[in-house]
Structure formats: C-alpha cells, structure tokens
C-alpha cells in the first residue's frame, strides 16, 4: 500500500483550529448609481438579504429566473460573488458575464432535436369498392 493510514493523534496533542480571515467592509467610497462591479459590491455589503439575495442584484436574479422559467431543463442562476450568470448543462457549468452571452451559450442546449426524415406515403386511389368486413 503506497498511502498508509496515519496513526491517530494522542490525546495530549493540541492543535488549535486555524483562524478564519476577518471580514471587514471594503474600503473606499461607493458610488450611488455607478455600475462598476466594485461599487456594486460595496453598496451590496450594507443591504439586507431578501430570500438569500442582496437587493443590489435583484435585476440580475430576475433575469436568471426568467431564463430558468423559459428553459426548465437547465439550471440558471446569478452568482453574486462572481457577479456573473451561470447555467448547469448536461455537459457542465457555463459562466457568462451577462445574460445575453449566457443565452448564446445555452442556445445549443435548447434547440429541438431534428425530426426523422420520413418518406411520403403513396396515395391510394378511391375505386368506390367497399371491402368486406372480416
């Protein structure tokens, strides 16, 4: 065996848990109407969560929900941390910076399958004769 199971630690072996990084608010001014990702992130820090989402990104969440409702076989959502749209497809995850780019990427998964080619049935002539029922 190349990777043996390690021995258990002794009871007097004390190792403190690593401390988590402190989460301070971002520094600097936040513009009131600016659309820069950093300004939006600063504004969103002080806003309450509504159903798990920050109200700063309500428009993006609504766009993702509308796309999800239209294409029910895919999972579409907006990631606040990455500030990008995501879609879970049968082949993997797709990330896009805006909803239009995501829609172009998802287009290949939404096309209906091609219909099978069928030959036309030959026309039957009506001779006026009635076939006897068996």
């Amino acid at each position: 065996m190349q990777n043996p199971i390690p021995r258990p630690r002794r009871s007097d072996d004390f190792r403190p848990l690593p401390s988590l990084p402190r989460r301070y608010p971002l520094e600097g001014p936040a513009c009131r109407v600016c659309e820069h990702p950093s300004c939006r992130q600063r504004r969103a820090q002080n806003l309450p969560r509504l159903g798990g989402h920050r109200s700063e990104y309500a428009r993006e969440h609504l766009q993702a929900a509308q796309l999800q409702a239209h294409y029910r076989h895919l999972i579409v959502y907006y990631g606040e941390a990455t500030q990008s749209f995501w879609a879970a497809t049968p082949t993997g995850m797709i990330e896009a910076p805006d909803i239009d780019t995501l829609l172009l990427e998802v287009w290949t998964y939404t096309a209906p399958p091609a219909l099978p080619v069928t030959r036309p049935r030959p026309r039957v002539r009506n001779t006026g004769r009635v076939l006897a029922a068996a």
Side-chain angles (χ1 to χ4, degrees):
M1 178 190 277
Q2 294 181 347
N3 298 320
I5 299 173
R7 289 180 295 151
R9 291 186 187 152
R10 296 188 330 243
S11 62
D12 61 345
D13 185 12
F14 176 73
R15 295 184 186 184
L17 295 173
S19 61
L20 297 174
R22 302 287 285 169
R23 297 186 186 240
Y24 297 109
L26 292 175
E27 298 174 6
C31 305
R32 297 277 182 212
V33 294
C34 182
E35 290 294 320
H36 291 108
S38 59
C39 295
R40 294 189 75 192
Q41 187 176 8
R42 286 188 187 108
R43 282 194 305 262
Q45 281 182 339
N46 299 327
L47 295 174
R49 289 191 180 270
L50 305 172
H53 304 293
R54 300 265 187 209
S55 59
E56 174 68 28
Y57 305 110
R59 181 184 63 211
E60 286 83 1
H61 288 297
L62 178 64
Q63 289 174 336
Q66 288 173 341
L67 190 62
Q68 171 73 52
H70 195 274
Y71 301 111
R72 294 182 183 271
H73 62 284
L74 300 176
I75 298 174
V76 180
Y77 65 94
Y78 179 75
E80 292 181 4
T82 59
Q83 295 188 12
S84 57
F85 290 89
W86 291 84
T89 64
T91 58
M93 297 289 288
I94 297 175
E95 180 183 11
D98 57 3
I99 193 72
D100 294 327
T101 308
L102 183 69
L103 194 55
L104 288 174
E105 292 290 328
V106 171
W107 179 261
T108 58
Y109 300 101
T110 60
L115 296 174
V117 178
T118 59
R119 292 184 295 171
R121 293 174 60 184
R123 299 183 103 186
V124 179
R125 291 181 58 193
N126 188 1
T127 59
R129 287 190 260 162
V130 178
L131 296 177

